[in-house]
């Protein structure tokens, strides 16, 4: 009994469609306000060394995601501002760049540093730097925020 070329081609296409249908990636999921996200505009995201995802929103504060639930931190919890522009994690500390300055979360403690709005945070040669609209600041070893003189007179 010989199988025709058309029957063979039809069989291959049917098998390919079947495998493709069962190989869909159902792992990706989007999260919304209904899932507990405090605000839909997420400007920053970082993962800490434990595995939590930290999300900085524009108006909803900071959200910690454990894979199932969100825990929200905002101004009522001591956050400098509910508008988070950037996040950076280093040495057990979460640096939170906000519209009204810097918040640092370290072992459930929150320290605030009032300064101009921070746009970005970066690390260079073991120091944390903060880019603002008015200049660059550095976090010193004395836990102080110091403005750098880029072009001293």
């Amino acid at each position: 009994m010989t199988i025709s070329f058309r029957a063979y081609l039809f069989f291959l296409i049917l098998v390919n469609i079947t495998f493709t249908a069962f190989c869909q990636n159902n792992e990706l999921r989007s999260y919304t306000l209904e899932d507990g996200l405090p605000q839909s505009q997420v400007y920053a995201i970082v993962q800490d060394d434990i595995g939590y995802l930290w999300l900085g929103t524009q108006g909803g504060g900071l959200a910690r995601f454990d894979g199932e639930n969100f825990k929200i931190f905002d101004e009522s919890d001591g956050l400098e501002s509910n508008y988070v522009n950037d996040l950076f994690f280093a040495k057990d500390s979460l640096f939170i760049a906000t519209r009204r300055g810097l918040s640092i979360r370290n072992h459930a403690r929150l320290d605030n540093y009032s300064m101009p709005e921070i746009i970005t945070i970066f690390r260079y040669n073991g120091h944390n730097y903060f880019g603002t609209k008015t200049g660059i600041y550095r976090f010193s070893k004395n836990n102080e925020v110091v403005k750098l003189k880029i072009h001293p007179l």
Side-chain angles (χ1 to χ4, degrees):
M1 179 171 167
T2 51
I3 300 176
S4 72
F5 179 73
R6 283 186 177 174
Y8 182 72
L9 185 61
F10 176 75
F11 176 76
L12 286 178
I13 292 172
L14 183 64
V15 168
N16 190 22
I17 289 172
T18 304
F19 283 132
T20 303
F22 287 110
C23 294
Q24 295 294 323
N25 184 359
N26 294 325
E27 297 294 323
L28 295 178
R29 183 178 187 288
S30 61
Y31 291 92
T32 64
L33 301 175
E34 289 81 25
D35 298 308
L37 192 62
Q39 216 275 338
S40 63
Q41 293 178 323
V42 175
Y43 272 35
I45 185 168
V46 70
Q47 185 174 10
D48 65 16
D49 57 356
I50 298 173
Y52 289 124
L53 287 179
W54 295 87
L55 297 91
T57 68
Q58 290 294 293
L62 182 68
R64 183 185 73 195
F65 185 63
D66 64 6
E68 293 182 21
N69 300 306
F70 289 96
K71 173 140 175 61
I72 311 305
F73 302 91
D74 57 18
E75 290 176 2
S76 66
D77 298 306
L79 193 63
E80 188 71 18
S81 171
N82 286 337
Y83 292 86
V84 177
N85 295 328
D86 199 9
L87 297 170
F88 184 79
F89 184 80
K91 296 184 180 180
D92 296 332
S93 296
L94 178 64
F95 292 82
I96 308 158
T98 74
R99 278 192 183 171
R100 290 197 294 254
L102 175 68
S103 292
I104 301 174
R105 188 170 197 284
N106 189 346
H107 301 292
R109 194 177 97 207
L110 200 60
D111 296 320
N112 292 314
Y113 300 88
S114 293
M115 55 189 288
E117 179 179 5
I118 301 172
I119 307 301
T120 188
I121 303 171
F122 60 96
R123 189 169 180 86
Y124 181 73
N125 283 340
H127 296 284
N128 293 329
Y129 294 90
F130 312 102
T132 72
K133 293 180 181 179
T134 61
I136 298 175
Y137 291 76
R138 184 180 76 198
F139 192 70
S140 72
K141 293 181 181 179
N142 301 344
N143 292 340
E144 296 175 340
V145 177
V146 179
K147 184 174 182 179
L148 299 180
K149 293 182 182 179
I150 298 174
H151 297 289
L153 298 175

